[in-house]
Amino acid sequence: MKILIITGQMAANIITNNIRQYKKHELYLKVIPMPIAAFITPKLITYHLKQKNILKSINKDKTTPIDNIDMIITPGLIKQDTKEIEKELNIPSYKGPSNAADITLTLDILDKMQLSTTKAADILIRDQQYQEAMNLINNYNRDNKKVEDLLKKKENILINNCPVGQDFPMRILGEIANASQYNDEQLLERVEYYLSSGADMIDIGMNVGEENPKKAYDMIKLVKDNFDTTVSIDTLNASEIKNGLNAGADMVLSLDHGNYEKVISDIKDHDATAVIIPTDYSRNIIPHTPTEKVEMLESLDEKCKDITTISDLLLDPINSPSLTDAIISYQLYRKRNPTKQLFFGVGNVSELLDADSNGVNAVLSGIASELGVSILFTPEASLKTKNSINELKTASNMMFIAKMRKSIPKNVGINLIQLKDAYKKDDVSIDTNNLKHIEAVADGKFIPDTKGSFKIIVEDNLIKAIYYRDYVKNSVITSTNARAIYEEILRRDMISRMEHAAYLGMELEKAEIALKLNKKYIQDFPIF
């Protein structure tokens, strides 16, 4: 296929270097006399192609008239629809990548994917990769015959209506810690938020050191009456466990050597599942070495052989006493118990580490996947771990797709990259040596805008620009998009000073970044 690639002056060298040795298609390059590719328009392209209708190949050993070109690929950053080019030249024309360095990736997928006249190729590729990834996950979960066959294997179990085990994506159990602090409405809101974030199961956490069986019953029943989801009761207290089971709890967290005898018959009667841990808190017995942990848990598993159990080796925080030893415990247990379901308390680490949760969740999910873990468990108890359930759901899907494809969890169609870039961007520089250099100075002067002022806040998953006229609240403009808000402000003629407009643009963009990253936003203060 004869393909003409359009570019601007600044990206020309990058394009040339990337396609010089490309053999799959016969490539031609047209550099439009415009420094920045984003400023190129379809009209400008058609004008220059009509002016000089003979094109040179990238290696300059061939020429061809424009009429012989099979496809035109424009910069991905041009704003208009490329159909305008096709109308003028009668040549199919599509948007290429936003990043010039991705041109070969775009050329490689031409026989697999239809490019777009409105969407940049790299975005299109990412969208398709994401769709393929999610189709794999969704089709796997919806294949009832396959699920039924997999549940016959020892590695897998069914908890309520949720298939769990090594042949399924790791399930996310969202813990509502100290759930009794919420009233009914708040509890249901929390459950709905967890489920919408991707939780497969909901854990109702009771208060340690208290005994409140009635509250346990009421909370479990409230959730079961309002949501069709798997629910666990999180307590070592026998009376709370029994009442939780009577209210419909599908799973118990947790059984140890100190409480199992009091509740094992109730768990069996309700056909519930129990998470077992290698402790006896009633006698303050906690194993210290990986071998002690494994042996103590295997002993409890034998005592609980009449019920369905999931093993939790207890993932320790770093240095408390040892995350490394905890992972060694899991590895040792897995080698000795290859078909057993495993439980991984990710929140034990992420909540007690001052680091952004997405990277922590990704790495721990990868370790869990290698160990054959069935359930990833976390609360969202602090600002730094906000969105952890969604992050773990994404990480679980990443690891499952990588496992299915027998690949590393990279370029699988979904990712947890938020603050950094997956790929190097165009290394385009502008020579400023001959320009007059002006050192910017902020003088801090403030002149009120006679048309009014704005208070910007982020709440309810929205950016809100509250408009004050004569220091009195007048109206509020809302969106998730900074551009939409400042365009609305301009449309309604609510601003008169250039420095006020520049300031609002800066603050609205900060607010949008904060909204996307779940960061706290306070007007006039940095978000990082």
Side-chain angles (χ1 to χ4, degrees):
M1 188 177 353
K2 290 184 173 68
I3 299 174
L4 172 61
I5 298 169
I6 306 293
T7 189
Q9 293 167 323
M10 287 173 58
N13 286 337
I14 297 170
I15 293 282
T16 303
N17 291 335
N18 274 275
I19 64 175
R20 193 183 300 280
Q21 304 301 322
Y22 196 83
K23 304 294 184 185
K24 194 172 179 181
H25 301 287
E26 191 176 312
L27 302 180
Y28 295 81
L29 182 67
K30 178 66 178 177
V31 180
I32 303 297
M34 180 69 69
I36 300 172
F39 294 163
I40 296 173
T41 65
K43 284 186 179 178
L44 198 60
I45 292 170
T46 54
Y47 169 78
H48 283 284
L49 291 179
K50 285 179 178 179
Q51 290 296 308
K52 190 172 182 180
N53 131 312
I54 300 298
L55 302 167
K56 288 186 178 180
S57 71
I58 188 65
N59 294 318
K60 299 184 179 177
D61 57 350
K62 292 181 182 178
T63 60
T64 189
I66 185 69
D67 293 344
N68 283 350
I69 292 294
D70 299 305
M71 179 188 294
I72 295 173
I73 294 179
T74 74
L77 292 175
I78 72 169
K79 294 177 174 59
Q80 296 86 352
D81 193 323
T82 60
K83 282 181 181 176
E84 295 179 35
I85 302 170
E86 185 170 352
K87 286 178 186 175
E88 289 290 324
L89 301 176
N90 198 30
I91 301 170
S93 301
Y94 304 101
K95 288 191 176 184
S98 308
N99 183 14
D102 289 336
I103 186 64
T104 53
L105 176 64
T106 301
L107 294 169
D108 284 340
I109 55 89
L110 289 179
D111 55 348
K112 303 173 187 174
M113 184 188 302
Q114 178 69 44
L115 295 182
S116 170
T117 64
T118 58
K119 188 179 287 189
D122 51 317
I123 297 173
L124 197 70
I125 293 166
R126 286 200 302 271
D127 286 351
Q128 177 148 329
Q129 287 176 330
Y130 174 80
Q131 197 56 55
E132 287 174 356
M134 294 314 297
N135 284 343
L136 189 153
I137 294 286
N138 293 332
N139 292 340
Y140 195 91
N141 286 329
R142 290 170 187 157
D143 189 339
N144 293 332
K145 179 66 171 66
K146 187 170 192 173
V147 169
E148 186 179 323
D149 289 341
L150 290 174
L151 285 171
K152 294 174 184 176
K153 297 170 65 176
K154 287 183 179 180
E155 293 90 340
N156 310 308
I157 59 175
L158 188 68
I159 306 176
N160 185 23
N161 56 6
C162 184
V164 172
Q166 294 181 51
D167 289 306
F168 298 97
M170 293 178 288
R171 304 307 185 186
I172 313 304
L173 175 58
E175 178 194 10
I176 303 177
N178 301 320
S180 59
Q181 69 182 304
Y182 300 106
N183 62 35
D184 287 359
E185 183 180 356
Q186 290 170 331
L187 182 61
L188 293 177
E189 284 177 358
R190 195 70 178 160
V191 172
E192 186 169 16
Y193 163 67
Y194 275 16
L195 293 174
S196 66
S197 296
D200 301 291
M201 310 168 175
I202 299 297
D203 178 62
I204 301 300
M206 302 303 295
N207 292 356
V208 177
E210 296 181 11
E211 184 167 347
N212 200 340
K214 183 179 184 306
K215 189 67 175 176
Y217 180 92
D218 291 343
M219 289 191 295
I220 296 291
K221 189 168 191 319
L222 179 69
V223 176
K224 293 296 285 186
D225 284 349
N226 285 274
F227 296 96
D228 181 19
T229 190
T230 302
V231 180
S232 62
I233 177 76
D234 192 347
T235 178
L236 287 166
N237 183 282
S239 60
E240 290 179 343
I241 289 173
K242 290 179 180 183
N243 269 29
L245 290 167
N246 290 335
D250 307 290
M251 187 161 62
V252 171
L253 274 66
S254 303
L255 296 194
D256 77 351
H257 287 271
N259 73 344
Y260 82 96
E261 289 181 307
K262 301 173 185 175
V263 294
I264 192 166
S265 61
D266 297 272
I267 293 171
K268 186 176 181 180
D269 290 345
H270 287 88
D271 196 24
T273 300
V275 174
I276 57 174
I277 57 177
T279 61
D280 184 344
Y281 283 116
S282 68
R283 295 189 293 160
N284 200 29
I285 297 175
I286 301 170
H288 298 292
T289 69
T291 302
E292 287 173 351
K293 266 190 178 184
V294 170
E295 290 176 349
M296 198 165 180
L297 193 58
E298 287 175 337
S299 168
L300 180 59
D301 196 18
E302 178 62 27
K303 294 172 182 176
C304 297
K305 62 185 178 183
D306 290 336
I307 61 172
T308 302
T309 59
I310 300 175
S311 296
D312 180 4
L313 278 296
L314 299 176
L315 199 62
D316 293 321
I318 295 170
N319 293 335
S320 181
S322 171
L323 173 60
T324 303
D325 280 352
I327 292 171
I328 290 170
S329 301
Y330 275 95
Q331 187 180 46
L332 177 60
Y333 186 88
R334 171 53 76 217
K335 286 179 180 177
R336 292 166 58 149
N337 302 273
T339 62
K340 188 68 183 181
Q341 284 74 38
L342 289 180
F343 185 97
F344 215 57
V346 176
N348 294 355
V349 179
S350 59
E351 289 288 353
L352 298 171
L353 173 64
D354 279 343
D356 291 331
S357 61
N358 61 338
V360 178
N361 287 332
V363 171
L364 290 176
S365 295
I367 293 170
S369 178
E370 289 188 353
L371 292 168
V373 165
S374 300
I375 296 176
L376 300 174
F377 177 69
T378 191
E380 289 190 12
S382 61
L383 284 175
K384 68 176 181 285
T385 58
K386 184 173 170 29
N387 208 37
S388 271
I389 288 171
N390 183 261
E391 291 165 3
L392 282 175
K393 185 69 170 184
T394 302
S396 171
N397 288 339
M398 284 170 61
M399 302 311 159
F400 185 72
I401 292 165
K403 183 177 171 182
M404 294 286 287
R405 294 177 178 173
K406 296 180 171 58
S407 71
I408 58 174
K410 183 177 183 225
N411 297 331
V412 297
I414 52 178
N415 64 67
L416 273 173
I417 299 168
Q418 293 179 329
L419 297 176
K420 299 186 179 182
D421 293 313
Y423 305 102
K424 184 179 179 182
K425 303 304 180 191
D426 297 347
D427 186 15
V428 176
S429 60
I430 300 174
D431 184 7
T432 62
N433 290 330
N434 297 322
L435 299 178
K436 180 182 178 182
H437 282 60
I438 303 168
E439 185 176 348
V441 176
D443 60 15
K445 290 180 181 177
F446 169 71
I447 302 174
D449 193 324
T450 56
K451 288 197 172 180
S453 59
F454 291 86
K455 173 68 176 175
I456 300 168
I457 60 174
V458 174
E459 66 176 13
D460 303 325
N461 292 316
L462 286 170
I463 306 165
K464 298 182 179 181
I466 304 166
Y467 179 50
Y468 287 78
R469 192 71 191 266
D470 296 325
Y471 304 103
V472 176
K473 280 186 285 189
N474 178 282
S475 54
V476 59
I477 302 172
T478 64
S479 177
T480 57
N481 180 271
R483 185 182 187 122
I485 293 178
Y486 74 64
E487 284 187 355
E488 194 65 43
I489 289 170
L490 294 175
R491 246 191 317 272
R492 293 177 178 272
D493 194 26
M494 301 166 86
I495 196 167
S496 65
R497 298 188 61 81
M498 286 182 64
E499 65 267 34
H500 191 196
Y503 164 79
L504 277 180
M506 174 184 72
E507 286 298 323
L508 288 168
E509 184 65 16
K510 278 168 50 184
E512 183 175 337
I513 292 169
L515 180 64
K516 287 179 178 176
L517 297 179
N518 284 301
K519 290 279 288 179
K520 188 173 184 178
Y521 169 80
I522 301 175
Q523 191 169 347
D524 296 325
F525 285 86
I527 57 173
F528 293 106

